[in-house]
């Protein structure tokens, strides 16, 4: 099964890269270089070939190279879900734009061509920090299966913002709330169904998989208990929400809980390395499930993942990526981290010499 892949990648005035070009052949990619060389910036550029704000969730103006700050562009040729395409995304003072094969397109069009799954160092504390990060992690996984999940989330958030404004303004007239709560309930039903579906797929993809990484059993936690009829529950909770000045019930409060299955230990009580292994395990499960769904494995963006693993686990990770046939684009500060990937992958040396990035393939 040949994977979705970036074949050429061109960055213009994107973060530290004034002009950079990389050529890939579909094998896993190792980007190697010192701290600050511009490795994560390259991964971020690739992540912008999917809908949304990319793997740093950066504001669009932060992506423009300083000091010029004249706008940025990422262009790529890719092996997509059904064909090869030319993708371009850029911004010049305004919102991010997208072109597919030379024609202006909405961001969502990118999800009909590529799917990506990523792991970044910021996720290392996912299991021990606030629920918001886990919810985002969950929703990113949902989006990888069902890109139109974004629409339900946006519709829900908009209605909730409007309801929260009423609460803050201490509006008590029920007349103002009904339609918003109905909208929230309708979107919440879609969100809940999408999340349940993604969770089931992640669990199924871990079941029986040959993997060196530990299985995580996942559950959704509703801090206030699960609600059958959200519209009614919101109406009943108006008084309490008025006191709080915001909506306390709904899918925006859901948490994702993971348990290290073999030990029965909740993820937040696992060791640092175990927590990382659980994340990798879920990332691989996500990729396997997508490969089954789409007939081709997604692109994986793995920032500094190798550095956290012992040599045995590193080899296992590369073996699993190669078995999956996925183009994993990985970063590391030492070439030795990718020794056991060997000729199964491509390697690039990334450097930054006084504000000028240089990239060369290492044979
Ligand atoms: N908008 C920008 N314009 C110019 N330079 C930027 C911009 N944003 C970030 N940089 C710089 O890009 C450089 C490379 O960042 P990047 O995060 O890609 O490094 P890295 O190779 O991943 O390093 P590390 O190994 O430390 O993670 C940093 O020095 C950063 O300050
Ligand atoms: Mg980095």
């Amino acid at each position: 099964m040949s994977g979705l892949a970036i074949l050429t990648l061109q960055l213009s005035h994107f973060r530290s890269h004034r002009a950079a070009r990389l050529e890939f052949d579909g094998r896993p990619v190792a980007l190697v270089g010192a701290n600050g060389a511009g490795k994560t910036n390259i991964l971020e550029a690739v992540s912008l070939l999917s809908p949304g704000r990319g793997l740093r969730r950066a504001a669009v103006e932060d992506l423009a190279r300083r000091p010029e700050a004249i706008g940025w562009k990422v262009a790529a040729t890719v092996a997509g879900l059904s064909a090869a395409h030319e993708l371009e995304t850029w911004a010049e003072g305004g919102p991010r734009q997208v072109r597919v094969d030379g024609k202006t397109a909405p961001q969502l069009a990118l999800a009909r061509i590529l799917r990506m799954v990523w792991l970044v160092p910021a996720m290392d504390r996912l299991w021990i920090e606030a629920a918001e990060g886990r919810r985002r992690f969950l929703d990113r996984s949902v989006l990888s299966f069902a890109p139109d999940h974004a629409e339900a989330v946006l519709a829900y958030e908009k209605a909730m913002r409007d309801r929260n404004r009423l609460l803050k303004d201490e509006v008590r007239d029920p007349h103002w709330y009904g339609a918003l709560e109905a909208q929230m309930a309708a979107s919440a039903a879609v969100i809940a169904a999408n999340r349940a579906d993604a969770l089931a797929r992640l669990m199924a993809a871990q079941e029986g998989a040959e993997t060196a990484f530990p299985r995580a059993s996942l559950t959704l936690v509703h801090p206030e208990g699960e609600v059958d009829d959200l519209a009614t529950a919101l109406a009943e909770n108006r008084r309490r929400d008025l006191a709080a000045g915001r909506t306390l019930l709904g899918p925006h409060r859901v948490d994702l809980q993971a348990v290290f299955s073999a030990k029965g230990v909740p993820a937040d009580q696992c060791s640092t390395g175990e927590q990382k292994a659980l994340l990798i395990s879920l990332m691989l499960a996500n990729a396997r499930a997508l490969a089954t769904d789409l007939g081709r494995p997604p692109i994986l963006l793995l920032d500094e993942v190798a550095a956290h693993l012992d040599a045995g686990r590193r080899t296992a990770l590369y073996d699993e990526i190669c078995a999956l046939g996925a183009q994993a684009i990985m970063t590391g500060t030492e070439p030795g981290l990718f020794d056991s990937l060997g000729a199964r992958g491509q390697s690039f040396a990334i450097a930054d010499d006084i504000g000028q990035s240089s990239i060369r393939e290492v044979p």
Side-chain angles (χ1 to χ4, degrees):
M1 180 155 46
S2 77
L4 298 172
I6 311 291
L7 300 174
T8 66
L9 179 70
Q10 225 168 324
L11 314 185
S12 314
H13 296 272
F14 183 86
R15 293 230 190 239
S16 55
H17 301 282
R18 195 177 58 78
R21 187 184 156 86
L22 294 101
E23 288 189 20
F24 302 140
D25 59 18
R27 282 179 293 164
V29 173
L31 304 175
V32 181
N35 295 138
K39 307 177 298 292
T40 304
N41 291 347
I42 296 172
L43 288 193
E44 185 180 34
V46 175
S47 73
L48 290 166
L49 301 172
S50 67
R53 292 173 64 167
L55 55 67
R56 278 193 178 109
R57 303 178 15 87
V60 71
E61 58 273 16
D62 292 341
L63 303 173
R65 184 171 187 266
R66 291 183 307 265
E68 311 93 281
I70 51 168
W72 57 269
K73 182 172 175 182
V74 177
T77 55
V78 305
L81 279 169
S82 54
H85 292 281
E86 284 181 29
L87 305 180
E88 295 161 277
T89 185
W90 74 96
E92 230 172 345
R96 170 153 95 94
Q97 310 285 321
V98 170
R99 253 193 321 241
V100 175
D101 298 324
K103 288 196 203 71
T104 303
Q107 282 189 27
L108 202 56
L110 296 170
R112 291 196 284 273
I113 296 172
L114 294 180
R115 297 289 171 84
M116 296 177 203
V117 177
W118 57 70
L119 272 187
V120 297
M123 293 175 182
D124 287 355
R125 298 173 59 79
L126 189 85
W127 303 118
I128 51 179
E129 285 184 341
E132 191 192 348
R134 288 184 292 279
R135 213 158 37 232
R136 196 179 303 129
F137 176 79
L138 167 68
D139 279 331
R140 276 223 61 82
S141 175
V142 176
L143 282 167
S144 78
F145 294 116
D148 52 10
H149 181 62
E151 284 160 26
V153 172
L154 283 175
Y156 177 83
E157 284 175 352
K158 180 175 185 315
M160 184 173 69
R161 265 198 310 278
D162 291 348
R163 183 176 185 270
N164 285 349
R165 198 165 305 131
L166 296 179
L167 295 168
K168 276 214 179 68
D169 294 346
E170 297 187 33
V171 174
R172 280 158 206 282
D173 185 348
H175 164 83
W176 289 95
Y177 286 90
L180 290 176
E181 289 167 355
Q183 172 66 63
M184 286 170 72
S187 305
V190 177
I191 292 170
N194 287 346
R195 284 176 175 170
D197 183 59
L199 228 59
R201 289 179 195 218
L202 289 175
M203 295 294 286
Q206 293 187 91
E207 211 65 53
E210 264 190 51
T211 173
F213 294 91
R215 217 173 75 195
S217 46
L218 301 171
T219 40
L220 293 180
V221 180
H222 305 261
E224 311 243 349
E226 209 164 345
V227 178
D228 280 339
D229 180 355
L230 185 63
T232 305
L234 287 170
E236 285 167 356
N237 270 283
R238 278 178 209 153
R239 190 189 301 267
R240 195 171 66 121
D241 288 353
L242 271 163
R246 63 198 166 92
T247 304
L248 297 174
L249 207 62
H252 65 291
R253 297 295 306 282
V254 165
D255 194 359
L256 173 69
Q257 199 179 59
V259 170
F260 194 119
S261 303
K263 295 185 173 183
V265 174
D268 60 346
Q269 287 161 37
C270 288
S271 78
T272 315
E274 288 171 336
Q275 291 185 26
K276 186 87 183 182
L278 288 173
L279 278 177
I280 294 174
S281 186
L282 288 173
M283 181 273 300
L284 289 169
N286 196 342
R288 281 194 299 267
L290 276 173
T292 308
D293 258 29
L294 307 170
R296 325 185 57 171
I299 294 169
L300 311 179
L301 304 180
L302 307 182
D303 197 11
E304 281 176 47
V305 169
H308 287 263
L309 302 175
D310 57 51
R313 281 245 172 83
R314 255 190 332 258
T315 305
L317 176 63
Y318 304 148
D319 290 350
E320 290 184 36
I321 287 168
C322 292
L324 196 57
Q327 184 187 47
I329 309 182
M330 303 177 273
T331 66
T333 50
E334 307 297 333
L337 291 170
F338 300 100
D339 279 352
S340 59
L341 179 62
R344 298 181 292 175
Q346 288 178 279
S347 183
F348 293 81
I350 318 290
D352 188 89
D353 306 311
I354 334 162
Q356 197 70 266
S357 67
S358 85
I359 299 174
R360 73 186 163 82
E361 186 167 1
V362 183

